[in-house]
Amino acid sequence: MTHARIVLWLSLTLRSTRSLCRAHFVEWQPPKPPNPGAMENGTGPCREERPPTAQETTVTEGAAKIVFPSSNEVFYNPVQEFNRDLTCAVITEFARIQLGTKGIQIKVPGEKDLQKVVVDLSEQEEEKVDWKDGENLAPGDKPQIAVVGEICEEGLRVLEGLAASGLRSIRFALEVPGLRSVVANDASARAVDLMRHNVQLNGVAHLVQPNQADARMLMYQHQKVSERFDVIDLDPYGSPAPFLDAAVQAVSEGGLLCVTCTDMAVLAGNSGETCYSKYGAMALKSRACHEMALRIVLHSLDLRANCYQRFVVPLLSISADFYVRVFVRVFTGQAKVKASASKQALVFQCVGCGALHLQRLGKAAGASGGRVKFSAACGPPVSPECEHCGQRHQLGGPLWAEPIHNLDFVGRVLEAVSTNPERFHTSERIRGVLSVITEELPDVPLYYTLDQLSSTIHCNTPSLLQLRSALLHAGFRVSLSHACKSAVKTDAPSTALWDIMRCWEKTCPVKRERLSETSPAFRILSVEPRLQANFTIREDANPSSRQRGLKRFQANPEANWGPRPRARPGAKAASEVLERRRLLQNKRKDPPEDRAQRAARLKTFPCKRFKEGTCQRGEQCCYSHSPLPGASADATPTDCPETPPTRTPLDLGPAAGPGVD
């Protein structure tokens, strides 16, 4: 009985303990979220604000303050602050245009009152008349003003498909006026949990909605016209190709699509077959590879949009640092889609002199009655061999052959940034890059470089002003390119360009006897120029952005800057990864040896001349003079007189056969 009572008492005790634990768990269970709309989006409950721990880092960028783990579990790259600043500026001007059609004005912190309220002078006159006729309107009928941090009921719906820490979405909510909602989506549960904390930390829970889902599925679920997003921002790690098909369907009519590509090795021509599988175009290794990458991305976007009777209109295309960034608007129209073939082109590039020729895929010609007739283009524009150097051509593309910028829109963004430079930390660079873009020739795809032209014919390199002046004196247009510091973008044909270089070579002659008769330099210089170049410096040869000394190109922002490692669960801190990279750099190369180590290594090899009896160096010989056994298996092939002379002393394999001495 005593044993039975003990067992009964223990069972009752354990039962009461379980009940107490359950009650304690229920008592401290997190409360339900107060915002039911967040649950509809699948965001889950928002957690209470917590101070950053020792394993977390706090970063302030723009108006946002975020906390992210020091370990590389959630991706963050401070070098792309320029990317985020530019995106905020572009979306602000896009919101100004879109909401202006609805009679809503936006107010940006730092801008002067009544600045940039209307688009052009005609609309200014119409607005003056409207205000004069509506002086006695009720207060509720006055134009609505949208400010940052507040919900605009008729504002833009923004989606950031791959939000990571949520920094970009939080900056949208704090810096861009006229927003209705911002969906910050990521497939990582750790990233979404971090986003919820950062949203609460910045007090933008009423605008930013964290969401955990696959970005493609989320965009496919918003294909209905009433559910589409006005702005979609895609900044993935690597290629955005898997998301483009869903993105062109989920953006609203005339909406803004912002895409970043960081797989520049693929887009720059290092792997043409991979570029074709991702973007539907062959990339070439060229000095103009950065602009070619932009045009390949635009071609890929337009090609995917055409499948759904939609087409893209580029607003701004940027090549910066280690990535490219495009901003396009997406429209619907069957008639406009028919013109897409005439906007694409193939590229013929000479492998010898690098001459570029474009071949359009389609042809659009005017017909009677104001109609446009589309047909296949005729070509090719080149012969089997290059007319300048006799080399063959490589075929690349198709790529976008139309302008990659909307200069009116770029001018609006540039004006807004210039009048409010305190808004962004990288305002100086944004001004410089956009200024160069406004000076680019919009109807001239691709470009040449100074070092490319001079190295082809092995001559001294002319200055940028000298070459630009020669092209201007010859009656051609010329401009810089934001994608390359030494770019020469011109509408001059390759024949005129090489004539100018032939004239320049006469001022610093190249020794013909040092050139091979089959080399591109010999064949180009063997032809007399038909165009007499004038290298006198012209005043208009120096562009305005260069005269003002604007910051056009990126200086190294920090040590070991560039693409960061991919975020992984349980990963080490980014600083530890970079330090390990530095330590393991060149690990496969032999370490440098000093003189003593080299002498000891050479002493392991027998001296051939000592064996033949002709070595006169004695003990000063760097090779070994030690006597070798008569028929030892350790003898090397270099000691065998019957060994063929093609064998080197480095071949230390065992000798075999009866001929060993």
Side-chain angles (χ1 to χ4, degrees):
M1 288 298 293
T2 304
H3 180 70
R5 288 179 180 176
I6 293 174
V7 172
L8 180 61
W9 178 79
L10 287 175
S11 62
L12 292 174
T13 304
L14 290 175
R15 212 176 272 178
S16 61
T17 304
R18 285 179 195 163
S19 302
L20 181 60
C21 291
R22 286 176 186 168
H24 186 270
F25 176 79
V26 173
E27 180 182 356
W28 292 99
Q29 191 173 4
K32 295 183 179 180
N35 183 12
M39 291 299 294
E40 294 177 2
N41 291 320
T43 58
C46 296
R47 303 190 177 181
E48 297 182 358
E49 183 176 337
R50 51 182 170 78
T53 62
Q55 290 77 25
E56 293 179 342
T57 304
T58 303
V59 173
T60 301
E61 183 180 299
K65 180 180 179 182
I66 66 164
V67 175
F68 68 97
S70 300
S71 60
N72 194 31
E73 296 181 1
V74 179
F75 185 80
Y76 169 72
N77 192 350
V79 178
Q80 287 203 349
E81 182 181 3
F82 170 76
N83 186 337
R84 291 182 282 268
D85 287 350
L86 181 64
T87 303
C88 290
V90 169
I91 296 180
T92 300
E93 293 307 308
F94 178 73
R96 198 191 304 271
I97 295 174
Q98 292 293 91
L99 299 184
T101 60
K102 303 177 183 179
I104 303 176
Q105 303 173 7
I106 66 173
K107 185 177 181 181
V108 179
E111 285 188 355
K112 297 181 180 179
D113 295 337
L114 302 179
Q115 181 183 0
K116 296 175 67 62
V117 174
V118 291
V119 177
D120 54 22
L121 185 59
S122 62
E123 293 188 12
Q124 286 182 5
E125 299 296 333
E126 294 177 3
E127 186 173 357
K128 289 179 182 178
V129 174
D130 293 340
W131 276 103
K132 185 176 180 180
D133 295 338
E135 287 180 352
N136 298 325
L137 292 177
D141 296 333
K142 290 184 179 180
Q144 181 182 354
I145 297 180
V147 298
V148 296
E150 296 183 4
I151 297 177
C152 181
E153 295 299 335
E154 299 183 18
L156 306 180
R157 299 180 66 240
V158 182
L159 168 66
E160 185 185 4
L162 304 112
S165 62
L167 171 60
R168 192 181 298 251
S169 296
I170 294 173
R171 289 195 59 183
F172 291 164
L174 294 175
E175 301 178 27
V176 180
L179 301 184
R180 180 181 175 185
S181 64
V182 180
V183 178
N185 178 79
D186 202 282
S188 170
R190 180 71 179 94
V192 175
D193 178 65
L194 185 63
M195 271 190 284
R196 292 195 185 104
H197 172 61
N198 289 327
V199 166
Q200 295 292 333
L201 180 64
N202 290 270
V204 291
H206 60 290
L207 269 176
V208 181
Q209 302 171 2
N211 185 74
Q212 181 182 356
D214 185 278
R216 294 165 293 185
M217 296 304 300
L218 179 62
M219 289 186 287
Y220 280 133
Q221 293 170 0
H222 289 77
Q223 295 183 21
K224 292 184 179 180
V225 177
S226 59
E227 299 179 357
R228 291 175 177 173
F229 297 97
D230 299 299
V231 179
I232 295 180
D233 190 298
L234 297 176
D235 190 358
Y237 187 94
S239 173
F243 309 99
L244 298 184
D245 182 78
V248 296
Q249 300 180 65
V251 67
S252 62
E253 180 66 14
L256 181 64
L257 184 58
C258 317
V259 180
T260 300
C261 306
T262 58
D263 55 337
M264 287 302 297
V266 174
L267 288 169
N270 287 348
S271 182
E273 64 281 359
T274 304
C275 184
Y276 179 81
S277 65
K278 292 183 177 181
Y279 301 98
M282 286 291 294
L284 299 178
K285 284 188 177 181
S286 170
R287 299 299 177 93
C289 59
H290 294 95
E291 184 177 333
M292 189 177 295
L294 287 170
R295 296 183 178 275
I296 287 176
V297 175
L298 291 174
H299 159 75
S300 182
L301 283 170
D302 192 61
L303 184 63
R304 285 167 166 83
N306 291 163
C307 299
Y308 309 101
Q309 299 300 315
R310 312 194 81 183
F311 61 97
V312 302
V313 176
L315 293 182
L316 177 62
S317 305
I318 294 287
S319 172
D321 301 337
F322 52 86
Y323 60 89
V324 293
R325 177 79 162 168
V326 297
F327 301 88
V328 300
R329 296 185 70 179
V330 182
F331 295 92
T332 304
Q334 185 176 4
K336 294 288 186 179
V337 170
K338 292 181 180 180
S340 292
S342 60
K343 299 177 182 178
Q344 321 297 327
L346 298 173
V347 181
F348 291 85
Q349 177 180 262
C350 175
V351 299
C353 63
L356 298 171
H357 301 272
L358 267 68
Q359 170 65 61
R360 298 271 181 158
L361 292 183
K363 181 180 179 182
S368 59
R371 296 181 296 108
V372 179
K373 182 179 180 181
F374 300 101
S375 60
C378 299
V382 295
S383 58
E385 294 182 353
C386 178
E387 59 178 327
H388 307 296
C389 63
Q391 302 291 329
R392 64 186 188 280
H393 291 89
Q394 285 183 328
L395 184 62
L399 48 79
W400 183 266
E402 292 294 303
I404 61 177
H405 312 292
N406 185 322
L407 296 183
D408 293 335
F409 182 81
V410 174
R412 292 171 61 90
V413 179
L414 176 59
E415 182 184 356
V417 175
S418 301
T419 55
N420 191 9
E422 302 298 330
R423 185 183 178 192
F424 302 115
H425 183 258
T426 60
S427 294
E428 185 180 355
R429 188 187 177 194
I430 293 177
R431 287 180 55 205
V433 172
L434 296 184
S435 298
V436 177
I437 288 177
T438 57
E439 298 170 351
E440 288 184 10
L441 296 178
D443 55 342
V444 178
L446 307 181
Y447 53 81
Y448 298 94
T449 59
L450 286 174
D451 56 329
Q452 171 194 0
L453 296 173
S454 57
S455 63
T456 301
I457 59 177
H458 304 290
C459 71
N460 295 335
T461 304
S463 68
L464 181 64
L465 295 183
Q466 287 175 323
L467 184 60
R468 286 172 58 92
S469 299
L471 289 168
L472 292 174
H473 281 300
F476 301 107
R477 296 179 299 155
V478 62
S479 73
L480 299 176
S481 174
H482 78 280
C484 181
K485 196 171 185 177
S486 60
V488 178
K489 184 185 285 287
T490 177
D491 59 349
S494 57
T495 304
L497 201 58
W498 285 122
D499 278 346
I500 292 176
M501 292 305 298
R502 292 187 186 102
C503 295
W504 172 257
E505 185 270 339
K506 291 182 180 298
T507 62
C508 303
V510 177
K511 295 182 178 180
R512 302 293 196 277
E513 59 272 12
R514 294 186 177 182
L515 301 178
S516 172
E517 295 184 358
T518 59
S519 65
F522 184 87
R523 295 187 177 183
I524 291 175
L525 296 178
S526 62
V527 178
E528 287 296 322
R530 287 182 259 180
L531 172 68
Q532 296 301 321
N534 182 4
F535 294 98
T536 305
I537 304 298
R538 292 178 44 149
E539 293 183 0
D540 54 348
N542 196 10
S544 174
S545 61
R546 195 167 180 266
Q547 292 179 5
R548 290 180 291 169
L550 297 180
K551 186 176 181 180
R552 299 177 294 161
F553 303 100
Q554 173 71 25
N556 294 346
E558 59 181 12
N560 303 316
W561 73 281
R564 292 298 179 95
R566 184 189 296 270
R568 302 183 185 279
K572 298 181 179 179
S575 58
E576 297 181 11
V577 175
L578 294 176
E579 180 64 18
R580 180 173 176 82
R581 281 185 180 180
R582 188 186 66 82
L583 294 176
L584 297 181
Q585 192 173 10
N586 299 326
K587 68 175 184 178
R588 292 182 176 86
K589 295 183 179 179
D590 295 333
E593 56 182 2
D594 54 17
R595 183 175 299 180
Q597 292 176 340
R598 183 174 181 273
R601 181 174 58 84
L602 293 179
K603 279 294 183 180
T604 60
F605 299 102
C607 179
K608 287 185 177 181
R609 295 184 178 180
F610 174 76
K611 179 182 174 182
E612 297 172 355
T614 59
C615 183
Q616 301 178 358
R617 292 181 174 270
E619 295 297 333
Q620 297 181 355
C621 181
C622 60
Y623 295 102
S624 174
H625 286 188
S626 300
L628 298 175
S632 173
D634 296 334
T636 61
T638 57
D639 298 322
C640 178
E642 299 182 6
T643 302
T646 57
R647 301 291 292 272
T648 64
L650 296 178
D651 189 354
L652 303 179
V660 178
D661 187 270

